[in-house]
Amino acid sequence: MKVMSFNTQHCLGYVEQKINYQLMADTINKCGADIVGLNEMRSDDENTPYDRQAEILSELTELKYHYFAKAIEVKEDDISYSYGNAIISRYPIIRAETILIPDPVPKKGETRCVLKAKLENGVTVLVTHFGLREVEQENAVSTVIDNIEKEKCILMGDFNLTPENEIINPIRERMVDTACKFESKLLSFPSDIPDRKIDYIFATSDMKILDADIPAIVASDHRPHTAEIDI
């Protein structure tokens, strides 16, 4: 089973700076992913010109099962749209929910969420995108910890944290970082000349990690992160 974490920056092509669904779909297809966790995705709300991006990528990649997790509603002038995480999957989604990460007090920045999906193959997938400030990241880790299943659970997303940051340690105590399969140091952001790794795929120890990679693909502003996992 090939899984992939991909921050699409709302499907904005990094080079041309235009929405390009086919480019994002081609990236997913090139990586051969069966399950994809997507960050910074838009969806439609009332009076919005935006597309249902998860549904579009699902159709273009033939990963026909999808779910969008709304973190915030963005209002610009007279329009609004939903913004958050998504999953597209080759395997049917039995159930899915959106779990909001508590905002720090006083609130600054944007509300984040964890997408939690149970798939027909028995795997639970968590997709998240951490905030930029330490207090937001600590809240995100706590929310993730509360939702990790003991068996067959995968966590992926843009953590906005580099691997040496101790904030991640509670997750490392419960799950295995698929980056352990990297043959050399791999970085994920920015995609053209990456200088840091902030994207992750974790798995519970009952699953066997066969391989992992951050392919040198420039589509979004993040490179995709992939992992091959035997369940």
Side-chain angles (χ1 to χ4, degrees):
M1 178 181 71
K2 191 79 166 285
V3 300
M4 175 176 171
S5 181
F6 191 25
N7 185 327
T8 70
Q9 198 185 17
H10 57 271
C11 297
L12 186 72
Y14 186 66
V15 175
E16 62 183 0
Q17 289 294 294
K18 295 180 181 178
I19 299 295
N20 190 331
Y21 296 121
Q22 192 61 57
L23 175 63
M24 303 302 157
D26 289 346
T27 299
I28 293 166
N29 289 333
K30 185 176 181 179
C31 291
D34 299 300
I35 302 168
V36 187
L38 301 162
N39 300 132
E40 295 191 16
M41 295 285 285
R42 288 174 172 169
S43 191
D44 63 344
D45 267 341
E46 187 177 359
N47 300 320
T48 176
Y50 293 111
D51 303 315
R52 296 181 179 180
Q53 295 187 330
E55 185 174 334
I56 291 170
L57 291 187
S58 175
E59 292 174 355
L60 291 175
T61 60
E62 298 185 358
L63 301 177
K64 65 178 183 178
Y65 303 99
H66 58 87
Y67 177 79
F68 172 76
K70 176 181 176 179
I72 58 171
E73 181 179 346
V74 180
K75 294 185 178 181
E76 297 177 349
D77 300 324
D78 295 328
I79 63 171
S80 64
Y81 59 89
S82 298
Y83 202 66
N85 304 305
I87 183 174
I88 56 175
S89 171
R90 192 175 309 280
Y91 309 102
I93 298 171
I94 303 302
R95 60 180 178 272
E97 60 180 315
T98 302
I99 302 159
L100 295 180
I101 296 170
D103 293 320
V105 180
K107 178 180 177 180
K108 291 183 180 180
E110 63 187 57
T111 300
R112 307 283 178 147
C113 75
V114 177
L115 182 161
K116 186 173 186 177
K118 179 74 170 183
L119 307 184
E120 190 178 65
N121 65 355
V123 174
T124 298
V125 179
L126 306 177
V127 182
T128 191
H129 185 189
F130 289 5
L132 297 173
R133 295 186 301 139
E134 183 174 315
V135 64
E136 294 177 277
Q137 295 160 351
E138 290 172 342
N139 287 352
V141 169
S142 295
T143 304
V144 165
I145 293 299
D146 287 343
N147 286 280
I148 294 173
E149 300 294 335
K150 293 181 179 179
E151 298 178 343
K152 292 188 177 182
C153 189
I154 294 170
L155 164 68
M156 64 177 105
D158 173 3
F159 288 12
N160 278 310
L161 292 167
T162 53
E164 68 275 6
N165 197 304
E166 294 182 354
I167 293 176
I168 306 175
N169 286 352
I171 295 173
R172 295 193 185 282
E173 292 170 0
R174 291 163 176 81
M175 307 185 83
V176 180
D177 189 344
T178 62
C180 68
K181 289 295 183 179
F182 289 171
E183 295 182 358
S184 60
K185 185 176 181 180
L186 298 176
L187 307 175
S188 65
F189 181 85
S191 59
D192 55 346
I193 309 176
D195 59 20
R196 75 204 81 164
K197 180 185 183 296
I198 56 176
D199 299 273
Y200 296 85
I201 301 174
F202 285 88
T204 47
S205 59
D206 59 320
M207 296 188 288
K208 185 176 181 180
I209 302 167
L210 304 176
D211 194 19
D213 193 15
I214 296 180
I217 298 174
V218 179
S220 171
D221 60 338
H222 287 243
R223 292 184 176 186
H225 185 340
T226 63
E228 189 172 349
I229 299 173
D230 186 355
I231 62 171

